């Protein structure tokens, strides 16, 4: 079955094609979610949202990119949306603490999944520090760095997924590396 036939089967609502979609992409999508949100339960929830979105939106898929690229684009958007919502909640919690109502978010227990296949560091504390540093990057840098360095996507795949030019992706990854180096150097100098 060609990709075009497969997409048509998905658009027609074929159960077999959706089963194949889950078989083909479930672990890949979950791995990408885990790269952005290193908490197993949250990553599973986001992955589920991705497949719901794919199901709802497949009829709008214009086939201007590969199906896998479109699915990864949805995945990264869902992950970034989750991170933005979480950061908004943290800012709200900070404002509550300033006004006298104490509300604390404990980040230390958030990183429940440190055996991510894209991370080869042995020390959990280093993994947590690295994920915190990555999560503090500007959104565009965090997106391309995570897709390339943690999920192992090529620059061209990152370009296709993010709809950014290849030179833009290269520049963002370069700046992300520099920012991470500076953040980690500062951390180790101060500790």
């Amino acid at each position: 079955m060609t990709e075009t036939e497969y997409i048509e089967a998905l658009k027609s609502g074929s159960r077999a094609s959706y089963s194949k979609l889950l078989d083909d992409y479930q672990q890949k999508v979950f791995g990408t979610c885990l790269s952005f949100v290193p908490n197993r339960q949250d990553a599973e929830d986001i992955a589920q949202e991705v497949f719901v979105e794919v199901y709802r939106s497949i009829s709008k898929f214009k086939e201007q990119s590969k199906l896998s690229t479109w699915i990864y684009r949805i995945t990264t958007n869902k992950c970034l949306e989750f991170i933005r919502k979480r950061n908004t909640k943290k800012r709200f919690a900070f404002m509550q603490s300033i006004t006298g109502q104490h509300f604390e978010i404990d980040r230390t227990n958030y990183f429940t999944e440190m055996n991510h296949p894209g991370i080869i560091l042995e020390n959990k504390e280093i993994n947590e520090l690295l994920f915190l540093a990555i999560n503090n990057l500007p959104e565009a840098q965090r997106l391309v760095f995570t897709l390339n360095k943690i999920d192992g996507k090529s620059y061209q795949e990152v370009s296709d997924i993010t709809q950014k030019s290849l030179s833009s992706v290269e520049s963002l990854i370069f700046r992300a590396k520099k920012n991470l180096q500076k953040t980690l150097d500062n951390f180790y100098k101060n500790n």
Side-chain angles (χ1 to χ4, degrees):
M1 178 183 292
T2 67
E3 182 162 297
T4 304
E5 293 169 335
Y6 180 50
I7 292 167
E8 287 307 314
L10 286 169
K11 287 181 178 182
S12 71
S14 161
R15 284 180 174 245
S17 63
Y18 275 102
S19 179
K20 181 176 174 13
L21 180 80
L22 285 172
D23 289 344
D24 291 350
Y25 291 100
Q26 189 170 19
Q27 288 304 313
K28 295 172 187 173
V29 167
F30 175 68
T32 298
C33 292
L34 206 50
S35 296
F36 283 94
V37 183
N39 178 281
R40 180 173 287 282
Q41 185 175 359
D42 288 339
E44 287 172 351
D45 290 346
I46 295 167
Q48 189 174 16
E49 286 181 32
V50 168
F51 287 105
V52 168
E53 182 69 26
V54 167
Y55 178 77
R56 287 182 185 158
S57 303
I58 191 68
S59 62
K60 298 174 191 167
F61 179 55
K62 296 179 178 140
E63 299 179 51
Q64 294 174 338
S65 63
K66 290 196 274 182
L67 180 64
S68 60
T69 301
W70 183 69
I71 291 171
Y72 279 112
R73 193 172 305 133
I74 291 172
T75 303
T76 56
N77 287 338
K78 289 289 183 189
C79 290
L80 293 174
E81 182 181 301
F82 176 86
I83 291 167
R84 280 186 219 112
K85 285 180 185 176
R86 189 182 71 214
N87 288 342
T88 300
K89 287 178 185 176
K90 280 191 280 184
R91 282 192 293 277
F92 178 71
F94 173 73
M95 292 305 291
Q96 281 184 326
S97 68
I98 288 177
T99 61
Q101 297 174 333
H102 185 66
F103 182 81
E104 189 174 315
I105 294 177
D106 182 9
R107 293 184 64 94
T108 59
N109 294 325
Y110 188 72
F111 294 90
T112 60
E113 192 54 46
M114 286 296 119
N115 295 321
H116 185 280
I119 304 277
I120 306 177
L121 299 172
E122 294 179 20
N123 188 320
K124 184 178 177 186
E125 289 179 12
I126 293 172
N127 288 339
E128 289 181 10
L129 176 62
L130 181 59
F131 266 109
L132 286 171
I134 291 169
N135 284 332
N136 285 324
L137 289 172
E139 187 174 287
Q141 290 177 25
R142 179 176 60 227
L143 174 63
V144 298
F145 183 86
T146 301
L147 287 170
N148 178 253
K149 299 300 180 191
I150 297 177
D151 275 2
K153 304 283 182 234
S154 70
Y155 281 18
Q156 185 60 56
E157 288 172 312
V158 174
S159 174
D160 293 342
I161 291 166
T162 61
Q163 296 181 318
K164 294 183 184 309
S165 70
L166 200 53
S167 60
S168 177
V169 167
E170 291 169 349
S171 174
L172 286 167
I173 289 174
F174 177 80
R175 290 193 313 240
K177 286 179 187 177
K178 288 293 183 192
N179 285 335
L180 285 172
Q181 182 179 15
K182 187 168 55 172
T183 299
L184 296 173
D185 282 347
N186 287 340
F187 174 81
Y188 283 111
K189 284 177 186 173
N190 295 329
N191 290 318

